[in-house]
Amino acid sequence: MPGKLILSLNASVLGEYPLEKERITLGRKPENDIQVDNLAVSGQHAAVITILNDSFLEDLDSTNGTYVNGKLVKKHALKHGDIVAIGKHQLKYINEDATEEEDFEKTMIIRPGTASAAAAAQTAEAAPAAAPAAAAAAEDEGPLGKITVISGPHVGKELELKKKLITLGRPGVQVAVITRRPNGYFITHVEGQHPMVNESDIGSQARELKDNDVIELASVKMQFSTS
């Protein structure tokens, strides 16, 4: 099950917020999902993206920064018990069902000559992905999907989508994740501009992928298909 955030100030609990949406925002303005009314908090300070049972925190270029367990972060894969600090407020992340860190690949290395390299706009050097990829393969969840690169120097390269969560893109520029669920594959925006599917912006919510959908990410086009 998705986790929740417990908002507190000076050890006094101000509210509990289940992470039931795939993307929630935190900030001083009232239109945020979690409003933190403090002048040290930016209007839109941070966002939490929840995929399956796991949540990822992203600082939205806030003025005073976002801290997790005392460390300044831009992006962070939340773990049960993490303490997020924005301004003088704290948010404790609670999710005993979250995937443990040792069950994740620490990074997905983007190497030249791979589909991931193409998806990272042919970056010349290895770079870590913005979000971890789940290591366990999904079983009995429908046909196995794959993406095939259809533009750039790596045309024809294929990547089988065996894992529950695959990260694609160029960290710091544009990143998305493809998740494998019992009812199919879904693409979700993580960082940078929203990915395009069939020349349409997918927005901030997950979009289900269909056979022959064309994904455009980090200036590279890829076609999704199932076996």
Side-chain angles (χ1 to χ4, degrees):
M1 294 177 59
K4 64 181 178 180
L5 290 171
I6 300 176
L7 177 67
S8 63
L9 177 64
N10 298 326
S12 297
V13 174
L14 303 179
E16 295 189 7
Y17 301 90
L19 300 176
E20 296 173 336
K21 294 169 59 178
E22 290 188 328
R23 187 176 189 273
I24 68 167
T25 59
L26 301 78
R28 192 179 67 254
K29 292 182 178 179
E31 60 263 30
N32 288 283
D33 298 288
I34 301 177
Q35 184 185 13
V36 183
D37 189 11
N38 186 284
L39 291 177
V41 176
S42 296
Q44 274 207 337
H45 195 103
V48 176
I49 298 165
T50 299
I51 302 168
L52 302 177
N53 290 333
D54 300 300
S55 296
F56 305 92
L57 174 72
E58 177 184 4
D59 180 81
L60 299 178
D61 296 323
S62 65
T63 301
N64 294 316
T66 301
Y67 293 80
V68 177
N69 304 327
K71 181 180 178 181
L72 182 67
V73 301
K74 286 297 292 181
K75 282 190 168 294
H76 178 79
L78 289 167
K79 298 183 289 294
H80 176 63
D82 276 351
I83 302 295
V84 179
I86 59 173
K88 296 181 179 180
H89 289 70
Q90 291 187 336
L91 296 114
K92 185 173 184 179
Y93 177 67
I94 303 295
N95 187 2
E96 295 181 354
D97 294 330
T99 307
E100 295 294 333
E101 186 176 2
E102 57 265 27
D103 291 336
F104 279 111
E105 294 178 354
K106 297 291 193 299
T107 58
M108 177 184 290
I109 300 301
I110 301 173
R111 299 185 179 90
T114 67
S116 295
Q122 297 84 48
T123 185
E125 297 179 357
E139 296 179 355
D140 301 325
E141 293 189 2
L144 183 65
K146 68 178 179 181
I147 55 174
T148 304
V149 180
I150 59 174
S151 74
H154 302 290
V155 169
K157 292 290 183 180
E158 295 183 351
L159 176 66
E160 287 192 327
L161 304 175
K162 294 180 179 179
K163 298 174 182 177
K164 287 184 178 295
L165 190 152
I166 295 288
T167 306
L168 295 173
R170 184 176 180 180
V173 177
Q174 189 179 24
V175 176
V177 292
I178 295 177
T179 53
R180 189 181 187 191
R181 308 181 185 182
N183 55 334
Y185 285 88
F186 292 78
I187 184 169
T188 307
H189 164 258
V190 172
E191 180 181 8
Q193 292 184 339
H194 297 151
M196 306 287 283
V197 173
N198 302 331
E199 301 185 347
S200 296
D201 186 320
I202 70 166
S204 59
Q205 301 300 314
R207 170 167 171 162
E208 185 176 4
L209 291 170
K210 303 293 187 182
D211 258 341
N212 302 316
D213 275 353
V214 175
I215 303 163
E216 186 169 356
L217 180 68
S219 301
V220 174
K221 291 184 178 181
M222 296 162 279
Q223 188 170 50
F224 170 80
S225 60
T226 54
S227 304

